[in-house]
Each structure stands twice: as structure tokens, then as C-alpha cells.
Amino acid sequence: PLCSAVIVAAGSSSRMGFDKVLAELGEEPVIVRSIEAFQQAPGISEIVVVTREDLVPEVARLCQQFQLTKVTKVIRGGESRTQSARLGTLEAGRDMPLIAIHDGARPFVTVEVIEAAVAQAAKNGAAAPAIPVKDTIKVAKDGMVEQTLDRAMLYAVQTPQVFDASLIRAALQKALDEGIELTDDCAAVERLGMKVVLTAGDERNIKLTTPVDLLVGEGLAEEVLL
């Protein structure tokens, strides 16, 4: 299947304190590492990068410097992640039946994780990598535990999340029209009653959100280099 990849990297990095997508990991910026697996993945035909307006020139330069030839566009994002994802899907080729949406701050995604999600989305219309939750999760209100969830049924969902192209465009637009802010793109299609199939994720496919995450990422980058 032909699949467009939308790399969303338009956040403010407020919890990191600096532009995390430009941070160096093993002599490569985070955004470059996040794109490279899609560059190598056979199922990905083109890549659209969505970033902040002030970062567009630098991200475009990096894509050229590191020969990320599948990148067709680097565009300005929106005020929210949902808006940025929607803008990216609009720029994806209309002849592409599938769209994969990936967090630009997940620099350790692998070709295997990408290909598994693409293949499953081609069969079912929506798929996302996930890993079982290890911690015990409790629901609390005002500091008081109200419920302990069954860990055997809980999964931490990662990206890329891959969808039928027309489905995800419509789902994101509906969420925006209704003023719904989502933490991931699966939630947009779930609101339409669509079932999302989970595929095998990877514990190394972490999202860099805080400075501690970056320290973990530096260790992973050294492991990859070795």
C-alpha cells in the first residue's frame, strides 16, 4: 500500500525548556532521527513534516542536509496538535490511500514498527503500535483512589498511528468542528465508532517530553551507535 507519513513536530516544548526536535542525539537532531525510519520504510511513499513557523526553514535545511528525500513538504503547524495533524493530512498526496501520523519527538521508532502498523491499517482502516502497561494504574479524584484498573487490559499507545486517508481527514475535522482536543489521533476515529487494531510497539519508541526523557534518549542513541 502507498502511505503518506505526517510527522508532527509543532509543539512549544514547554516541558522540555528548549526546542527538543533540534536537540542532538548521537550527532543527529531529534527530528532527523524521527524521520529516518520513514525514509527507510518501504511502505512509506512520501513524508510531510509539520513544525512551528519559526522552525520551518531549519527543519527544511536539515531534511536536505541528511538527504531525507521522501520529505516533500515542511509546513507550519496549528495552535494545537489536532490542528497540526489535520494540516499535515491535507498536504498528503490525494492518491495515497493511507496516512501515518507520527510524533516528531519519537526518534527511536523502527522500520518494523512502521511496517506492521501500515500493513494492519491496509486491512482494517486504522492501526497503532502499543505496548502492555507495566505499572498499576489507579483512578483518583482529589488525591483519593476511586478505582484500580485491570493492568492486563491496559496498553500504552505509540506512534505512528496509521489510517485510511479519507477517514482520518474527516475524523480530525469533526473533532476540530466540535472543539474537541485529543491526545492522540486514534481517539478521533474512535469517536466515529471506528475500531483501531493494535500492533506490536517497541519499548525504545519513547516520546521525549521532559529533560529526563532526553537523558534516556541519549543512552538509547549510544546503544544504537554501538
Side-chain angles (χ1 to χ4, degrees):
L2 298 178
C3 181
S4 296
V6 174
I7 312 296
V8 181
S12 63
S13 299
S14 58
R15 284 174 287 182
M16 187 69 77
F18 53 87
D19 286 325
K20 59 187 176 185
V21 297
L22 299 182
E24 294 282 328
L25 281 179
E27 300 181 355
E28 288 185 346
V30 167
I31 188 62
V32 171
R33 283 183 170 269
S34 297
I35 297 171
E36 281 179 330
F38 293 88
Q39 174 74 25
Q40 298 166 11
I44 302 298
S45 299
E46 65 170 6
I47 302 169
V48 176
V49 183
V50 186
T51 190
R52 294 204 320 265
E53 185 173 16
D54 60 308
L55 295 182
V56 168
E58 178 62 10
V59 171
R61 185 191 69 78
L62 289 171
C63 289
Q64 184 174 25
Q65 176 184 341
F66 287 90
Q67 299 181 346
L68 301 171
T69 56
K70 286 186 182 179
V71 176
T72 57
K73 298 176 183 178
V74 179
I75 67 169
R76 176 181 61 83
E79 296 299 317
S80 68
R81 191 196 181 286
T82 303
Q83 290 176 334
S84 294
R86 169 65 174 162
L87 290 170
T89 63
L90 293 177
E91 294 296 330
R94 293 291 167 162
D95 58 337
M96 299 290 175
L98 298 174
I99 295 178
I101 303 179
H102 183 65
D103 293 325
R106 288 188 186 269
F108 299 106
V109 66
T110 64
V111 171
E112 291 76 17
V113 167
I114 295 168
E115 291 292 292
V118 169
Q120 195 60 247
K123 297 177 182 178
N124 297 282
I131 57 174
V133 170
K134 295 179 179 178
D135 296 324
T136 297
I137 305 298
K138 296 183 181 292
V139 178
K141 183 177 181 180
D142 299 326
M144 298 294 293
V145 173
E146 294 189 337
Q147 183 182 2
T148 299
L149 302 180
D150 182 1
R151 186 172 60 187
M153 298 179 63
L154 300 178
Y155 290 83
V157 178
Q158 303 175 340
T159 65
Q161 298 175 359
V162 189
F163 310 93
D164 173 85
S166 58
L167 170 67
I168 189 59
R169 289 189 181 107
L172 290 173
Q173 186 60 59
K174 183 175 177 61
L176 289 173
D177 290 344
E178 296 177 357
I180 304 296
E181 287 300 329
L182 308 170
T183 57
D184 80 338
D185 305 294
C186 286
V189 300
E190 290 165 15
R191 295 181 69 248
L192 301 183
M194 183 71 184
K195 299 296 184 182
V196 178
V197 179
L198 297 183
T199 58
D202 188 327
E203 290 189 357
R204 291 175 176 79
N205 187 19
I206 63 171
K207 184 177 181 181
L208 305 181
T209 302
T210 67
V212 172
D213 297 328
L214 193 59
L215 290 175
V216 174
E218 289 172 352
L220 289 173
E222 290 179 6
E223 179 184 283
V224 170
L225 289 174
L226 291 174

